[in-house]
Amino acid sequence: QVQLHQSGPGLVKPSQTLSLTCAISGDSVSSKSATWSWIRQSPSRGLEWLGRTYYNSKWHSDYAASVKSRITINPDTSKNQFSLQLNSATPEDTAVYYCAGGLFWFDPWGQGTLVTVSS
Amino acid sequence: DIQMTQSPSSVSASVGDRVSITCRASQGISTWLAWFQQKPGEAPKLLIYAASTLQSGVPSRFSGSGSGTDFTLTISSLQPGDLATYYCQQAYSFPRTFGQGTKVEIK
């Protein structure tokens, strides 16, 4: 059974970098039958897919256009986890952030992290 | 981007009632559609994928149908534990997009 556990700060100052980590158990971040995504949820934007990373002969990443200039999703094979970095955070980035696995369908999900961008 | 539109935005029904939620995609997505259930304070949970395939462990009172642009999630007999917000999501193209949600309340 695959499980995801998120970690990272719940408060980020404007203009700083929002960073979260998602640790995987029960599967490998390098699995060829999985992709690893970050999704956020806010009252104003609803559920919003941000991007993903996956391994298929080499590492790939795809990002939503809305955050493409500010986002990086990286795998960490030594710790079997993947991370989200969102640069130049603004109050509009305040949301609950989820990591999620799955090849075609988002399952499982992490427990969620409320990140508030405020000074 | 493919827009996903759900209706209604909320529904109130009694225990035992049949409840249906619809989801419309802005373009054809074949059967590349998932339904999620989100209870307060929890992460979304996958209920149905490929429009009509029940995820393992999900009660059989949940069912999904549709293809192309129009989809339906049906709860055949509403139970108190079904209090939640339900979301559809397309997996046809990137970026993946979600509906705005339908809140199911118990009368």
Side-chain angles (χ1 to χ4, degrees):
Chain A
Q1 175 188 357
V2 182
Q3 294 185 321
L4 305 178
H5 183 76
Q6 301 174 216
S7 59
L11 181 63
V12 175
K13 287 183 167 46
S15 80
Q16 295 193 341
T17 297
L18 186 159
S19 296
L20 296 172
T21 298
C22 183
I24 304 164
S25 59
D27 201 349
S28 169
V29 69
S30 304
S31 170
K32 293 182 181 179
S33 60
T35 69
W36 308 101
S37 290
W38 286 97
I39 297 163
R40 67 183 177 184
Q41 184 174 31
S42 65
S44 59
R45 303 172 78 108
L47 283 162
E48 180 185 16
W49 176 83
L50 299 176
R52 66 170 183 168
T53 189
Y54 63 97
Y55 184 79
N56 187 351
S57 300
K58 65 176 183 177
W59 286 102
H60 301 266
S61 295
D62 301 303
Y63 301 126
S66 60
V67 294
K68 191 170 186 176
S69 63
R70 302 191 290 132
I71 191 173
T72 305
I73 297 176
N74 279 328
D76 183 342
T77 57
S78 66
K79 295 182 179 179
N80 201 33
Q81 63 187 28
F82 61 107
S83 63
L84 166 70
Q85 286 194 308
L86 191 62
N87 301 325
S88 305
T90 74
E92 287 67 43
D93 294 317
T94 294
V96 177
Y97 286 76
Y98 295 99
C99 57
L103 185 56
F104 299 113
W105 315 104
F106 295 130
D107 181 70
W109 294 58
Q111 80 276 20
T113 302
L114 173 60
V115 179
T116 301
V117 181
S118 174
S119 54
Chain B
D1 298 2
I2 297 176
Q3 293 202 5
M4 308 300 293
T5 304
Q6 289 181 232
S7 61
S9 56
S10 67
V11 57
S12 181
S14 300
V15 171
D17 283 354
R18 183 182 185 90
V19 173
S20 291
I21 299 167
T22 63
C23 176
R24 175 164 289 177
S26 61
Q27 65 183 74
I29 59 170
S30 184
T31 56
W32 289 97
L33 185 101
W35 288 98
F36 294 88
Q37 176 192 62
Q38 186 176 33
K39 296 183 178 181
E42 299 183 2
K45 170 189 169 184
L46 179 65
L47 290 180
I48 288 169
Y49 61 92
S52 62
T53 302
L54 208 62
Q55 174 71 333
S56 176
V58 173
S60 58
R61 64 179 179 274
F62 292 93
S63 64
S65 64
S67 67
T69 60
D70 294 312
F71 302 87
T72 302
L73 172 69
T74 299
I75 309 173
S76 61
S77 177
L78 190 67
Q79 299 301 304
D82 299 336
L83 167 71
T85 301
Y86 294 82
Y87 296 93
C88 61
Q89 176 247 319
Q90 63 83 16
Y92 181 80
S93 67
F94 287 93
R96 302 299 197 224
T97 48
F98 294 82
Q100 81 279 16
T102 296
K103 188 173 184 178
V104 174
E105 298 170 318
I106 311 293
K107 278 183 186 175

